[in-house]
Amino acid sequence: MQYSKSIGYALHALIHLAHAERGQNIGIKDLSSSLGVSESYLSKIMSKLRQDGIVRAVTGASGGYELARAADQITFFDVIQVIEGRQPLYECFNIDDQHHHLFFEAEDLELESTDHSENKGCLVKKVMIGAERHMQQYLQQHTIQWVVDSAAFNPLTQTVK
């Protein structure tokens, strides 16, 4: 499993915007230059973030992008959902296969309904969904502001400034 590069660019762009002075918008040219990515590629990412209400595009001479909500209200999970989509990471692909029923917990197999669409009781799905929930919870606990605050206390970033 690997996140797309778009996730990394989106998170870094948001952190860059969070660092900006209040009311100071950052243009796509400056953002793309800072991140080392093409303007057209970053524009597509920023468009998704704008459509989902994470950033706001400001027009005019001093236009550019700004955060549409506070940095402590933007979680890593929010960004991943916007860029990668909201579909589950795992789907059991052989629910109709007889072999699949070997991986049910005994008690679930006894209660199994004829509706296999929910894939009740599948131990493989149970583990994969549980792992996904743990990862979601972790990503929901980390915000753009968390990165900004944590970086402020990092001695390495203090010497770079």
Side-chain angles (χ1 to χ4, degrees), residues 2 7 20 34 46 49 90 94 96 99 103 109 112 118 122 129 154 156 159:
Q2 183 176 26
I7 294 292
S34 295
M46 298 307 288
L49 295 171
Y90 179 77
N94 60 354
D96 294 328
H99 177 77
F103 304 117
L109 192 56
E112 179 187 0
E118 293 181 22
C122 175
I129 296 297
N154 182 340
L156 292 175
T159 58

Side-chain angles (χ1 to χ4, degrees), residues 23-94:
Q24 179 187 7
N25 306 313
I26 301 177
I28 195 71
K29 189 173 186 172
D30 290 337
L31 266 178
S32 65
S33 176
S34 295
L35 300 175
V37 62
S38 74
E39 289 181 38
S40 62
Y41 184 64
L42 188 58
S43 290
K44 292 175 186 171
I45 293 168
M46 298 307 288
S47 178
K48 286 182 178 181
L49 295 171
R50 184 185 52 76
Q51 289 172 358
D52 223 69
I54 293 178
V55 298
R56 185 177 14 248
V58 179
T59 57
S62 61
Y65 287 99
E66 64 183 10
L67 296 182
R69 52 187 183 199
D72 65 350
Q73 299 298 312
I74 304 170
T75 70
F76 277 51
F77 186 67
D78 295 334
V79 177
I80 290 167
Q81 283 195 313
V82 168
I83 302 298
E84 299 287 346
R86 291 172 167 83
Q87 69 279 2
L89 293 176
Y90 179 77
E91 286 187 39
C92 201
F93 57 88
N94 60 354

Side-chain angles (χ1 to χ4, degrees), residues 11 74-82 85 132 135-142:
L11 290 167
I74 304 170
T75 70
F76 277 51
F77 186 67
D78 295 334
V79 177
I80 290 167
Q81 283 195 313
V82 168
E132 187 175 337
M135 187 168 65
Q136 286 175 359
Q137 185 178 25
Y138 184 81
L139 293 168
Q140 287 170 333
Q141 293 170 348
H142 290 85

